[in-house]
Amino acid sequence: MVRLPLTPAEVERGQRLGALLRRARGGRSMLEVALDAHVSPETLRKIESGRVATPAFPTIAAIAGALGLSLDTVWAEINQPQRPAEDPSLPLVGQRA
């Protein structure tokens, strides 16, 4: 099976997903979150860095669960236009400042 190259929109959405997960992880270590989500730290690192722009749904669901994020929040966040500087002080969609 040949995998088609990602579109620029898919790459951008993957970068937004990675930024969301990094913000939500906060001070927790990547290893701790990966173990809680039952994924490898390498998988989490690749998703957070945007190298895996289209992770499998169960992987996203497991990481979101480990971080206490609803899938609605993840979906809303990754489908927004990119913030100018991805300021980590800005609240996640659906959270109060």
Side-chain angles (χ1 to χ4, degrees):
M1 179 173 170
V2 175
R3 185 171 182 156
L4 297 174
L6 298 176
T7 66
E10 289 170 325
V11 170
E12 185 178 329
R13 191 171 49 238
Q15 291 169 344
R16 285 194 301 270
L17 174 62
L20 167 65
L21 298 179
R22 282 191 307 277
R23 285 194 315 272
R25 186 165 53 84
R28 291 175 67 188
S29 75
M30 195 175 285
L31 178 61
E32 177 186 349
V33 173
L35 291 173
D36 287 349
H38 302 286
V39 300
S40 74
E42 182 66 10
T43 296
L44 181 57
R45 185 184 66 75
K46 286 179 180 179
I47 294 169
E48 283 191 2
S49 69
R51 286 186 51 213
V52 174
T54 57
F57 178 79
T59 303
I60 295 171
I63 296 169
L67 293 171
L69 292 173
S70 75
L71 291 175
D72 289 335
T73 298
V74 172
W75 181 254
E77 186 79 13
I78 68 172
N79 284 297
Q80 286 188 4
Q82 182 105 14
R83 293 178 182 150
E86 282 299 334
D87 184 346
S89 66
L90 295 174
L92 301 175
V93 170
Q95 291 186 346
R96 297 182 183 168

